[in-house]
Amino acid sequence: MTRELSRLLSTIASAAVITALGAGTMTLTAQPSNAAESLKIESAIKGGDPDVDPALEALGPPPIPADNPQTPEKIELGKKLFFDPRLGGNPSTPCSACHLPSVGWDVEDKVSFGYPGTVHWRNSQTIVNSAYYGKLFWAGSSKSLESQAKSAAGGAVAGNGEADMMEARLAFVPEYREAFNKVFGDQWPKIGNAWRAIAAFERTIVQTDTPFDNYLRGDKNALTASQKRGLELFRGKAGCIECHNGALLSDEKYYNTGVPPLDQWNDDGLKQVTFRYELYAKGSTEKMYRHTKDDPGFYFRSKEKADKGKFRTPSLRYTLYTEPYMHNGMLATLEDVVEFYNQGGGTNEFAKNKTKLIKPLGLKKKEKADLVNFLKSLSGPEILMDEPELPDYAPLPDAAN
């Protein structure tokens, strides 16, 4: 078979798949005739915001930064460091403490664990597919996984680690000294390279073969009839694609959808203290510190009143395993999330900043069930992992002189 004939047959096969999947009202855009390539599903929303919504498409390999290339040795080092409590203020807060593989690589509670003696104040987000974000944390305060790892390990109500102390601990582990030297050329482990190794490991925790991805790659049986109806709602009547679009299913923009404040702030003293501390630490006026009862979110970064109550759109991938939902875990199930948006979102202290994109949907019971089933198609098999065996401390070698 000539190369030209092979390309022609491949193009015909791809077109056939598009025709089959395109039955009904769905609009699909043909992509290059490579089996690994994805079909694209465009938005069917009319009259939303003026922004162009990127089409839905299968998730490809994660982007790898040029200044931190992947190597097997770096990934293996990063895996150990991810589970190692020596990267924190005391031996209790490794990355894995708030990103447990067995519960979706996050915490199965409304808000995350905090450093001993404290609590956290926001929901822990899964690290699955975090490699694709350009804005990490709920308010987008980190631009890379490397930066996020550093911030989380040093955050006062998170890891609470001090860089010099964490670096010194690594120096007392012969296996780490050898690994850092091999991977980075460090004579002694540098803490900055610890974050680079962890980021490299996190870029391997991805899922690109969900039923929806497989459907987009041509397997017309990958979605059930209910999920296909849910997909139509997602990109049309329900309006989800307005913010959850592109391959990641997130536009990474900031919105206030009216999520109510964390109810635990009403009667949990420690959580109240944490909330007041964060208001103070992230920058508030005296009036705001004294009277604010809700999380200002993106305001802490922009200091614009119009941004109070806004949070970055999270991806919908892997959400089958990451309940509860929203920045404060106030919605327990996917059914609750769909009902929340069906009612036009909620109300919070910053209601005047609530996005105009949210409005009552009038979904019927069967439509809500179809939409939930489609959301479940955005998750594949659960990603589980045993904790690695961590290397021991040992006395430093004798000085050469």
Side-chain angles (χ1 to χ4, degrees), residues 57 85 119 125 130 143 153 174 207 212 232 247 258 263 266 307 325 395:
E57 57 184 317
V119 293
Q125 297 186 85
S130 60
K143 302 300 183 186
Q207 186 169 74
F212 184 54
E232 281 297 282
D263 55 358
N266 293 329
D307 288 328
Y325 305 102

Side-chain angles (χ1 to χ4, degrees), residues 11 103 308:
T11 300
V103 291
K308 286 185 177 180

